[in-house]
Amino acid sequence: MLTYIVLLGPPGVGKGTQSKFIASELSLPHISTGDIFRANIKQGNELGKLADSFISKGQLVPDDVTIALLRERFTQPDCKNGAILDGFPRTPAQADALQILLNSFGGKVNLVLFITAPTESLIERLAGRWSCRAQGHIFHERFNPPKVKGICDIDGSELYQRDDDKAETVLNRIQIYKKQTAPLIEYYTERRLLIEINGIEPIESVSMQVRSVVKKALSSSHG
Ligand code: ADP
Ligand code: ADP
């Protein structure tokens, strides 16, 4: 049985945080296109250089590059039962490409979790986000602090603040989200796949909502 869950929502709303919970609960890989781009930037390869030129300005990486990247990721063995997609698709063209790709191996998007929170919260969350160098584990200096400042609880690697979480870039990312990604709300509503999650509450309450929605939606989607 193939399961694909998409997490949709503005930057900083909690997609990565919730994706990690769902992925571990369903034993599916957590695929974050942002994490894959950052790994390539760290390696300093051509894809990394190209991605960095967009990411550093808060713009989206072009669709053809991003779609090719996802297609390649899906060929890896850990994707055999499906995936939790965090930050992909981000444009209607990516959503169309995803549908075609999943159809080609007998899958479909089973559920889209659309997480919402007011802009002030997004800014506050991104300003205090600390990410782990090794595996992208996510912390917040106030809302989810690590046990030891600057060190990842899970793998002991260094925590850092992303360059694109600077205030100027964040505002740009939110604008880009509204223009290029928000049309996906209608796209997936029309396809009866979208469920809205109120992301304003603390991490644990959001994750309880998410868990119950996922359970219900998957039993009807697979049933
Ligand atoms: P996204 O992937 O949507 O950009 P993240 O999951 O990385 O969002 O979360 C952004 C920041 O907000 C992180 O520092 C995270 O710890 C924090 N965070 C996530 N969910 C919540 C929440 N419900 N309440 C408060 N802070 C949160
Ligand atoms: P956040 O967790 O704050 O939403 P991500 O880590 O998902 O941020 O993405 C960081 C950046 O990587 C984006 O601002 C964008 O430049 C690029 N990116 C990630 N996913 C995509 C995508 N699906 N299409 C285009 N660009 C993307």
Side-chain angles (χ1 to χ4, degrees):
M1 201 161 51
L2 290 166
T3 303
Y4 297 91
I5 300 177
V6 168
L7 280 95
L8 178 65
V13 79
K15 301 181 297 298
T17 302
Q18 298 301 329
S19 294
K20 288 187 189 294
F21 292 137
I22 311 171
S24 109
E25 199 152 307
L26 301 181
S27 301
L28 290 172
H30 165 211
I31 301 183
S32 154
T33 37
D35 281 351
I36 302 175
F37 286 135
R38 282 184 290 277
N40 283 278
I41 292 172
K42 199 160 127 190
Q43 283 175 23
N45 61 27
E46 285 309 309
L47 171 64
K49 282 180 200 150
L50 178 81
D52 195 29
S53 68
F54 293 94
I55 294 177
S56 60
K57 293 187 221 130
Q59 294 169 357
L60 295 187
V61 178
D63 282 337
D64 55 344
V65 176
T66 310
I67 292 165
L69 182 89
L70 188 84
R71 192 175 289 130
E72 203 279 319
R73 179 67 183 84
F74 272 158
T75 63
Q76 293 175 21
D78 63 332
C79 295
K80 65 182 187 307
N81 295 324
I84 307 303
L85 294 172
D86 163 15
F88 186 99
R90 258 176 156 101
T91 62
Q94 292 181 16
D96 286 340
L98 177 65
Q99 193 174 331
I100 293 168
L101 190 60
L102 296 185
N103 278 344
S104 74
F105 39 80
K108 60 176 183 183
V109 172
N110 298 95
L111 169 67
V112 176
L113 294 169
F114 169 44
I115 313 182
T116 59
T119 304
E120 311 85 79
S121 302
L122 306 177
I123 292 169
E124 197 180 18
R125 287 180 189 182
L126 292 175
R129 169 158 69 184
W130 288 80
S131 308
C132 121
R133 289 247 185 242
Q135 298 181 66
H137 296 120
I138 306 159
F139 297 86
H140 189 281
E141 56 197 26
R142 281 174 48 217
F143 306 130
N144 182 25
K147 291 194 185 80
V148 180
K149 195 170 178 248
I151 306 285
C152 177
D153 287 356
I154 301 158
D155 60 31
S157 73
E158 183 200 8
L159 298 179
Y160 74 105
Q161 289 195 286
R162 279 168 44 180
D163 278 346
D164 63 338
D165 283 347
K166 288 193 299 267
E168 322 84 88
T169 319
V170 162
L171 292 176
N172 201 22
R173 283 162 63 201
I174 294 173
Q175 286 311 316
I176 300 256
Y177 164 79
K178 288 184 181 159
K179 261 197 238 140
Q180 296 186 255
T181 307
L184 291 179
I185 301 165
E186 199 181 322
Y187 182 103
Y188 283 122
T189 302
E190 281 170 359
R191 287 163 177 75
R192 300 180 178 279
L193 291 171
L194 186 127
I195 296 190
E196 185 167 338
I197 301 287
N198 177 4
I200 185 70
E201 292 170 28
I203 294 175
E204 287 69 28
S205 329
V206 177
S207 106
M208 272 165 58
Q209 276 187 73
V210 164
R211 194 175 301 136
S212 111
V213 164
V214 166
K215 205 170 154 198
K216 236 189 264 164
L218 290 188
S219 68
S220 72
S221 177
H222 288 315

